[in-house]
Amino acid sequence: EKEKLYLGMDFGTSGARYALIDKQGSIHAQGKREYPPPHMSGNTKDWAGSWKTTLFSLLEDLPISLRPLIYSIAIDGTSATTIIVDSNTGDPICRPFLYNESYPDALKVVKSIAPANHTVCSGSSTLCKLVSWWNSQDSDKDSAILLHQADWLLWLLHGKFGVSDYNNALKLGYDPEADSYPKWLIAQPYSHMLPSVTAPGTSVGSLKEHVRMQFGFPEDCVVCTGTTDSIAAFLAARATETGKAVTSLGSTLAVKLLSTKRVDDARYGVYSHRLDDKWLVGGASNTGGAVLRQIFTDEQLDELSELIDPTKSSLLDYYPLPAVGERFPVADLGMTPRLHPRPTNDAEYLHGILESIARIEAKAYGLLKDLGANSVEEVFTAGGGAKNEKWRKIRERVLGLPVSRAVQTEAAYGAALLALKGAQ
Ligand code: ADP
């Protein structure tokens, strides 16, 4: 008998990817597609149509010989990307609200109904998008429901209405600890629009028959709830035990730590996502690769890094920031970048910057612990900075912990792990 396969799809900011894995996590196929430019309907861009096209393009890209082996599908999408659909047809009834769009008008309203410092109290939260839509609409609100990007794409595959997961629903106001929407949210006139919520990687139902027939999936192929793109990227690293963490060294430095205790602190922008019986505690600093790119080209970074001795500590003490302001692990919106004195030797300069960023990383995990999370025991690395072996060694010394490059970092791989989970 041939091995069963599990499909994960990641809908990111500029395109979508898929990964097809087996039970052991080996990749059998992967691919990607850019989003086609959205059609204009009136003077708005039909992003939902563009995502839908991409979803079916990815399914077409799947090797035909492997399709009959795919027993489960899950999808992740960008956090707080929101679609309002007609519950009779599933069709969007307005253009999608994109992950980074902010609704300051709605924020005032949301702040008046939600507890202080709640995750929804940000202009780009899903709840602000919902409130903004609700208040701008006069009629036809009875049959409307809210879905996140991943929920809607999954709906195209399973056809069951109004299903989400507690990672996507966090910025809508869902309480993952109580496993329900809070009373203050249920009391709102739009509460009928809130999707029902399950754990990520829960089977929702069978793949729609016509999709199954069109692409040649097996009869018992199921479609599972997904998660957000950044959580899917964490899942990809398979840091499944308490104390394991993933540091993402991209344009910014983001840390995520698996903890038995939930930690939220609005001062630092620290909050927790639920992952089954654990919490994924995260925070993001403004330091990171963007600063490096302001000073060096990627080629220079490679060449200069070669000249660094990572066993020696650099005495240069910087706080590299691309602009004024830091949130985590130091909450100081007026903090100015500190990148002086600059030594004449560029390799020495880079060493000082990399080591200073490593100290900020150590401080970040230290703060999470002070706020009540578990101590970090092992760090996996993702993002553009993960390939820098000298930096890895510097970080290992500064953190005093094993630091390695994550084997898998693609969110699509994390989504495939959710598909695997949901198939069991
Ligand atoms: P993002 O997706 O957040 O924009 P990436 O994960 O693609 O970022 O990482 C890009 C960052 O990686 C850039 O800001 C760049 O400075 C950094 N980078 C690239 N090469 C190196 C290197 N050799 N050492 C350290 N950082 C690097």
Side-chain angles (χ1 to χ4, degrees):
E1 190 194 307
K2 282 209 171 162
E3 197 165 18
K4 291 184 174 179
L5 299 177
Y6 308 91
L7 174 63
M9 283 183 274
D10 161 54
F11 283 73
T13 54
S14 62
R17 293 166 187 264
Y18 82 84
L20 194 53
I21 67 168
D22 62 28
K23 191 160 88 249
Q24 280 75 37
S26 302
I27 297 175
H28 288 243
Q30 54 189 333
K32 65 173 177 182
R33 287 265 184 168
E34 309 272 293
Y35 298 134
H39 292 293
M40 299 300 290
S41 62
N43 49 15
T44 63
K45 292 178 175 163
D46 179 17
W47 275 113
S50 173
W51 300 328
K52 180 177 175 178
T53 303
T54 306
L55 170 67
F56 288 98
S57 300
L58 286 181
L59 294 181
E60 266 163 32
D61 291 345
L62 294 167
I64 291 174
S65 61
L66 300 181
R67 291 181 198 170
L69 307 174
I70 300 175
Y71 281 84
S72 179
I73 305 173
I75 297 178
D76 71 79
T78 47
S79 174
T81 295
T82 307
I83 306 187
I84 312 276
V85 303
D86 182 327
S87 61
N88 298 310
T89 62
D91 293 329
I93 47 185
C94 66
R95 72 167 189 91
F97 297 86
L98 302 181
Y99 65 102
N100 56 355
E101 288 174 339
S102 190
Y103 293 85
D105 56 313
L107 181 57
K108 273 190 217 127
V109 182
V110 166
K111 278 188 168 165
S112 73
I113 56 171
N117 293 328
H118 194 282
T119 323
V120 296
C121 296
S122 142
S124 59
S125 75
T126 316
L127 185 58
C128 281
K129 287 160 180 160
L130 171 54
V131 167
S132 174
W133 179 83
W134 183 263
N135 289 340
S136 69
Q137 212 65 17
D138 302 322
S139 55
D140 285 348
K141 295 200 272 198
D142 292 348
S143 63
I145 51 167
L146 179 146
L147 292 176
H148 305 91
Q149 182 188 30
D151 309 335
W152 185 69
L153 291 163
L154 287 164
W155 168 77
L156 292 169
L157 302 180
H158 60 57
K160 300 229 165 35
F161 267 120
V163 186
S164 189
D165 64 86
Y166 52 58
N167 295 156
N168 269 301
L170 192 75
K171 289 182 181 167
L172 180 56
Y174 190 79
D175 179 347
E177 199 158 8
D179 227 338
S180 61
Y181 288 104
K183 280 205 188 79
W184 58 263
L185 191 49
I186 296 290
Q188 301 306 317
Y190 41 79
S191 64
H192 66 276
M193 290 180 64
L194 304 173
S196 65
V197 174
T198 64
T202 303
S203 168
V204 177
S206 307
L207 181 61
K208 277 184 182 174
E209 190 178 352
H210 76 89
V211 182
R212 178 166 67 73
M213 304 287 265
Q214 182 186 346
F215 293 95
F217 290 98
E219 209 168 317
D220 36 1
C221 178
V222 295
V223 181
C224 306
T225 50
T227 183
T228 67
D229 55 350
S230 65
I231 291 185
F234 176 88
L235 295 174
R238 305 195 95 165
T240 47
E241 287 158 51
T242 307
K244 309 266 176 188
V246 175
T247 297
S248 169
L249 297 172
S251 306
T252 60
L253 177 148
V255 304
K256 286 197 171 67
L257 168 70
L258 207 56
S259 167
T260 43
K261 213 181 131 198
R262 179 181 190 177
V263 175
D264 295 276
D265 195 315
R267 286 174 302 168
Y268 299 105
V270 166
Y271 64 97
S272 299
H273 271 288
R274 183 173 165 186
L275 283 179
D276 298 320
D277 57 346
K278 298 188 182 68
W279 295 92
L280 185 57
V281 186
S285 164
N286 290 329
T287 196
V291 192
L292 295 172
R293 240 179 212 165
Q294 285 176 348
I295 307 171
F296 302 111
T297 64
D298 284 6
E299 295 77 56
Q300 284 176 314
L301 287 176
D302 283 339
E303 289 164 16
L304 294 171
S305 295
E306 280 307 304
L307 306 172
I308 293 173
D309 178 356
T311 63
K312 296 226 167 70
S313 63
S314 168
L315 300 176
L316 296 164
D317 183 25
Y318 303 138
Y319 206 108
L321 293 171
V324 170
E326 175 67 311
R327 184 86 178 278
F328 169 82
V330 181
D332 179 2
L333 295 178
M335 181 188 251
T336 49
R338 191 169 75 238
L339 281 156
H340 287 274
R342 177 170 180 160
T344 47
N345 181 318
D346 274 348
E348 233 173 85
Y349 190 37
L350 179 61
H351 189 170
I353 298 172
L354 295 180
E355 185 134 354
S356 296
I357 296 176
R359 283 191 288 261
I360 295 169
E361 183 183 1
K363 197 177 166 95
Y365 286 115
L367 177 63
L368 295 186
K369 180 169 192 245
D370 292 345
L371 295 176
N374 292 69
S375 305
V376 56
E377 285 163 20
E378 180 174 6
V379 177
F380 301 101
T381 318
K387 63 170 181 277
N388 191 324
E389 179 58 16
K390 295 292 175 79
W391 201 3
R392 187 191 68 74
K393 288 194 173 128
I394 291 171
R395 294 167 55 225
E396 208 155 50
R397 171 167 52 75
V398 172
L399 291 164
L401 294 168
V403 174
S404 59
R405 188 175 180 173
V407 177
Q408 299 295 341
T409 57
E410 290 291 349
Y413 187 89
L417 290 172
L418 287 179
L420 168 60
K421 178 187 170 202
Q424 282 162 355

